[in-house]
Amino acid sequence: MRYFPLFLDLDNRKVVIVGGGEEALRKVRLLLKTKARINVVAPALHEELAAYRNDGRIVWLAKSFAAPLLDDAALVYSADDDLHHDVAVAAGDRGIPVNAVDDAALSTFITPSIVDRDPVVVAIGTEGTSPVLGMGLRSRIEALLPQALGSLAEAASHLRQSVAERVPQGNRRRSFWQRYFFGSIRDSFLAGDARSYTRELEAALIDVTSPSVGRVSLVGAGPGDPELLTLKAQRKLQEADVIVHDRLIGPGILELARRDAIRIPVGKTPFAASPKQSEINAILIREAKAGRHVVRLKGGDPYVFGRGGEEQAALADQGIPVDVVPGITAALGCAASVGLPLTQRGQNRSITLLTGASEDGLAQHDWAALAKPGQAFAIYMGVNAAGDISAELLDAGIDHRTPVTVVENGTLANERVMMCSIGSLWETLALNGVEGPAIIYVGLKPATTSADILTFPAREATGHQVLRAAS
Ligand code: SAH
């Protein structure tokens, strides 16, 4: 960032605009939103500027530019091409920020595009790189912000004192303002419904001051790509006081969480002891009992190999309210990412999600049933046990040519896809050094029929191909 954004107090400060034409007029119109003392230095004035001058809204110094005219100014605009240089030098000598219209080299500040809902103001800048992008963003933000937003902020500032007297600082006060600006109180205000506004305001004040236990939201974060979060998950992350998250949750997702939420990483670490489930439950209970809104953020979906049920039961035992926000589970997210339909006519009528690992090693399944033709399944946590799994399936009579797709770090930038047959699964994983979280699909074929993808090695226990390497 080369240009540092800030909001400058121009109340009763002098601002000089050199030039009296169209460009000067544009700057004057902007500055008239403030209470600056606007001095226009120019031998002649545009008629709209003359009107402002007649109304006493600007001061016209009908002379040629001279450096001392800038003395004591807070800001200077040069809106006369011929004078840019002289004005920039004079402003520089006096340490006054200067903007020479359309001349970045001579300017020390730039004026952002703004969306004005005074006192709420959004400033947008692209450091001159992409004006069209800037304009597009501006019109989107314009459309997003209700016209009466500024009045809402005004109204809030009048309430601030009485809210501070009634609601203790911290979570409760913040939760009140969140309800004020983003809930039904705001809706009533913007709809001009004074009676509902007053009623909801009072109800919210009573609500946030009554003693409360916190609550826990079990939130699915999806397989990794932040864009695969649900809107609800995103809102919960914005509202959380505390986020208890799996270590595997990537920075891209945590980035979307409220800045001052406390983050507690739990779960698997490669080289250290991982907290036990009972310890995680204890953290959730402790934080909720302190009156906080806890988000328990889990990879994929909380109810799919995520122990969501156990956490929910432990919290319910303590009378703590819990809600669950589903996420895109790895089997779904990774399949979409690599183009692998989970059901296809003529191929499979069902798909089983199963885990390869259990607390005491290889998870037991009905291998004979899974080995039958036409079966399809997605194996979670199966990398370490892959050799045993394929041995069980081969013993149970599965066709060794049954297609297998392995997706490692699915939906993330370092995603890898490997295709092989069940007979060559273990070898494929070993040769490719699969280490990230990976899901193994058995019995599915890719949607596209390119020869490239469909040539599965048919030999028993040999051969593999890497279709897409990590980028
Ligand atoms: N609740 C999660 C699963 C947790 S178990 C869900 O619904 O997805 C952890 C296993 O999920 C990993 O061992 C792996 O098999 C799978 N997994 C999670 N994220 C993955 C990803 N981005 N790519 C591939 N597999 C993933």
Side-chain angles (χ1 to χ4, degrees):
M1 196 191 292
R2 174 166 173 189
Y3 294 87
F4 184 71
L6 45 79
F7 291 90
L8 189 66
D9 183 357
L10 285 182
D11 254 22
N12 202 31
R13 302 288 304 275
K14 171 170 144 185
V15 177
V16 179
I17 291 149
V18 181
E22 282 285 344
E23 288 298 350
L25 174 62
R26 249 176 264 194
K27 300 300 174 203
V28 166
R29 281 196 195 125
L30 260 187
L31 288 161
L32 280 173
K33 291 171 183 287
T34 72
K35 295 201 182 79
R37 288 180 285 122
I38 304 170
N39 290 6
V40 175
V41 177
L45 277 193
H46 184 285
E47 65 186 83
E48 190 176 326
L49 286 173
Y52 291 140
R53 183 232 171 186
N54 293 339
D55 293 346
R57 299 182 69 189
I58 64 174
V59 174
W60 178 29
L61 305 171
K63 19 180 143 175
S64 325
F65 173 69
L69 292 171
L70 302 188
D71 288 348
D72 306 322
L75 288 180
V76 178
Y77 281 95
S78 172
D80 181 335
D81 290 354
D82 298 334
L83 293 171
H84 279 354
H85 179 77
D86 294 352
V87 174
V89 170
D93 287 347
R94 288 165 177 72
I96 304 169
V98 59
N99 176 272
V101 175
D102 288 334
D103 191 336
L106 288 175
S107 301
T108 61
F109 75 92
I110 45 189
T111 316
S113 337
I114 62 175
V115 178
D116 180 9
R117 300 287 185 275
D118 184 42
V120 178
V121 176
V122 182
I124 303 149
T126 62
E127 299 199 351
T129 55
S130 12
V132 175
L133 174 65
M135 266 151 45
L137 288 176
R138 193 188 124 170
S139 60
R140 281 169 175 77
I141 296 169
E142 277 285 358
L144 210 64
L145 302 185
Q147 285 302 331
L149 191 68
S151 319
L152 181 71
E154 272 306 343
S157 77
H158 295 303
L159 279 175
R160 209 156 280 282
Q161 185 61 28
S162 63
V163 171
E165 280 159 17
R166 286 181 62 177
V167 187
Q169 205 177 354
N171 285 337
R172 286 163 190 257
R173 200 181 291 167
R174 196 168 52 232
S175 138
F176 168 79
W177 287 118
Q178 234 147 24
R179 285 173 65 164
Y180 183 87
F181 287 117
F182 298 103
S184 56
I185 307 178
R186 175 198 67 179
D187 294 342
S188 305
F189 183 96
L190 296 179
D193 183 347
R195 205 183 303 163
S196 306
Y197 170 75
T198 318
R199 197 182 50 232
E200 277 153 14
L201 190 65
E202 196 49 39
L205 281 167
I206 291 170
D207 206 26
V208 294
T209 43
S210 356
S212 70
V213 280
R215 58 207 160 98
V216 177
S217 303
L218 302 178
V219 177
D225 175 356
E227 292 205 324
L228 292 177
L229 275 178
T230 61
L231 293 175
K232 200 168 197 168
Q234 206 174 339
R235 178 166 63 77
K236 294 279 178 185
L237 285 173
Q238 282 294 322
E239 290 172 359
D241 299 312
V242 180
I243 299 170
V244 180
H245 64 90
D246 291 353
R247 279 180 214 272
L248 280 179
I249 302 282
I253 286 173
L254 291 173
E255 184 78 358
L256 300 169
R258 222 183 78 211
R259 292 261 165 255
D260 51 352
I262 298 163
R263 287 151 201 221
I264 307 178
V266 294
K268 299 197 185 76
T269 27
F271 303 109
S274 309
K276 294 197 190 67
Q277 188 59 48
S278 57
E279 290 167 353
I280 298 177
N281 294 352
I283 294 174
L284 298 176
I285 292 166
R286 181 192 73 207
E287 294 297 325
K289 285 200 166 164
R292 304 196 169 112
H293 180 187
V294 183
V295 163
R296 170 71 176 108
L297 188 64
K298 293 164 165 297
D301 181 90
Y303 278 169
V304 180
F305 305 123
R307 298 198 169 209
E310 291 170 44
E311 289 174 8
Q312 186 168 14
L315 291 159
D317 261 1
Q318 302 284 324
I320 296 166
V322 182
D323 64 327
V324 181
V325 179
I328 295 182
T329 189
L332 273 62
C334 298
S337 185
V338 307
L340 198 70
L342 294 174
T343 65
Q344 279 198 99
R345 276 199 293 163
Q347 177 189 274
N348 64 312
R349 292 212 170 86
S350 64
I351 169 112
T352 305
L353 307 186
L354 55 92
T355 172
S358 75
E359 301 213 311
D360 28 80
L362 175 67
Q364 284 311 314
H365 296 285
D366 183 349
W367 301 113
L370 291 168
K372 288 193 178 128
Q375 297 302 303
F377 43 99
I379 308 172
Y380 288 68
M381 294 175 277
V383 172
N384 290 335
D388 292 336
I389 293 171
S390 46
E392 293 279 6
L393 288 165
L394 291 164
D395 279 355
I398 197 170
D399 183 340
H400 68 87
R401 292 164 306 182
T402 304
V404 171
T405 303
V406 180
V407 184
E408 184 192 32
N409 295 315
T411 80
L412 293 163
N414 55 347
E415 172 179 283
R416 282 201 297 172
V417 195
M418 287 141 269
M419 294 190 171
C420 58
S421 59
I422 192 71
S424 62
L425 170 60
W426 182 82
E427 206 184 353
T428 302
L429 295 174
L431 285 171
N432 289 299
V434 172
E435 279 173 359
I439 191 149
I440 302 167
Y441 300 94
V442 180
L444 299 177
K445 286 186 191 140
T448 51
T449 51
S450 89
D452 201 26
I453 293 179
L454 276 182
T455 45
F456 292 98
R459 279 162 298 140
E460 198 165 350
T462 53
H464 73 280
Q465 49 177 304
V466 179
L467 288 181
R468 215 190 296 158
S471 45

